[in-house]
Amino acid sequence: MAKTTKKMTPTRKAVAKRAAAKKATVKKAPAKRARVKKTTAKRIAARGSAKSTTSSRRTRAKTKPVPKAGARRGAASSEVRGGARPKSAAFRGRAAASRSPSRKPWGADGKALDGVRILDFTHVQSGPTCTQLLAWFGADVIKVERPGVGDITRGQLRDVPNADSLYFTMLNHNKRSITIDSKHPEGKGVLEALVKSCDVLVENFAPGALERMGLTFEHIHKLNPRMIVASVKGFGPGPYEDCKVYENVAQCAGGAASTTGFLDGPPLVTGAQIGDSGTGLHLALGIVCALYQRNRTGRGQKVLTAMQDGVLNLCRVKLRDQQRLKHGPLKEYSQYGQNIPFGEATPRAGNDSGGGQPGWILKCKGWETDPNAYIYFITQAPVWEAICDVIGKPEWKTDPDYAKPPARLPRLKQIFDTIERWTMTKSKFEAMDILNQYDIPCGPILSMKELAEEESLRKTGTIVEIDHPTRGKYLTVGNPIKLSDSLSEVKRSPLLGEHTEEILRDVLKFDRRRIAKVQSSGALGEAAPLAAE
Ligand code: CAO
């Protein structure tokens, strides 16, 4: 014990060093404070008097040992919007560490992105997927739409006359809508005011469209140095950077199509929207990272996600296989067992499993009439003996042609044909029940109808029923990312321009006269009807 104490006692040299460092910090502090004050004052002036309470609120909150929930939320908002910022990472680290953990029940202390405001210039699917996610986590998402038209998907694939399509409603929950003609001089003024009061601008226009509106990164950054400008484009810098891109183009250009489908068929696109929704997901992560970095640096940055890159990232294992090809055939691909030679590029692998455990889709009872009476079956090595027993082939456990994984690779087709003779005697759910008893990895092919009716998905909020004022009730997919202290509720999508006046009044603090002036200029289009809720 005595030994430990001696060890921990600082040497005289260390004490002297620390004292000198402290002295230096104390000397430097006033200059730094002055800088911070000046920047804050400038920012407040730019934003108008509504924000002038920010720094005093922060000071008050600091003097209270445990701030009230409302005050804490206020402080959080001012932090993300550019109120008085702490001086250094070390300072913030200390501040966060000294804040006592919330005592509120889980999920009752706001949401993860409370206080973050998004200027949502997105349309169609990729961008809206991203901003919908951010909205589910609590961000205030203000969707800017063209007057009278809106996001083109409002009218695409319409199922109910005169109502927003499911395409639109299912990608724009929890957002507010404002209509602005971004090319009208008054509209530009409103947009610039929004740029000043938001944290992130998200857009997925065709290359150059944002710049043609006058919103270059340099201009945005001048208006609001803390603004994060996040974009989805089809391609990154390079020969195709000016091209417009939709989902399937991205699937083809990102490597998914060339590796999907059967060996003897053409390239195939998948139903999962990996180009649009997948890229939206990537972008959301980039935005959250940029917000986190901004806490330290105080400045915004550009976030770019190219759809080609997003798809390629999801096809990473196929690029893995491309490089493995140099060292011989890909033995887990069933073409190996069928003696079909490999070419120069990663081939299409049908339903082969992408990992080291061979798998295939097998028919189940009723497959003749039900297109989804199938099960995915994985011959995972650790449960091979159980598989042999279940399918009535106990002799395979010791047969040298079947007992070990490498011996099985050349005969995968024959093995799966044998297993299929067993699965065809069971429904996909019966097979699932039996196989799960032995921990044999498998999964039924579920139709959209079955998923829509699945009770457990309703309970977790993954499938949600929403009521909409013009289209009635519909199902949607809720937030698939579950946070235990930031609970997601799904609110219906906005009607076109539904929140135009509210945003001018409450966010931009325009007075009645100014609102009337902008409205009469034609920059906002026709006054939108309010939802009959
Ligand atoms: N006020 C005035 N004009 C507006 C406006 C507003 N509020 N909102 C949009 N516009 C204008 C744009 O300024 C642009 O005009 P200019 O071309 O004259 O500058 C115009 O509307 C059309 O924008 P766009 O070119 O982005 O739209 P598009 O329908 O021709 O192309 C798409 C759609 C998706 C192919 C293209 O936006 C794109 O490639 N985006 C990037 C990749 C992407 O996200 N693709 C996924 C789409 S989801 O499948």
Side-chain angles (χ1 to χ4, degrees), residues 43 52 88 106 133 137 163 203 242 272 282 290 316 319-320 327 354-355 449 493 502 511:
R43 218 176 282 123
S52 64
S88 67
W106 294 108
L133 270 170
F137 288 123
E203 63 95 20
D242 292 330
H282 281 90
R316 176 173 295 262
L319 185 58
R320 172 201 68 193
H327 306 283
K449 180 173 184 297
S493 57
E502 177 184 303
D511 59 22

Side-chain angles (χ1 to χ4, degrees), residues 121 123-126 144-147 167 180-183 204-207 209 212-213 232-234 243-247 276 307:
F121 241 135
H123 64 157
V124 203
Q125 186 182 166
S126 62
V144 178
E145 296 182 82
R146 206 195 312 219
Y167 196 177
I180 308 173
D181 179 348
S182 61
K183 290 172 181 158
N204 68 311
F205 289 126
R212 285 195 289 277
M213 287 177 190
V232 169
K233 295 288 164 249
C243 299
K244 287 185 176 179
V245 168
Y246 281 105
E247 170 68 46
D276 279 339
M307 294 169 77

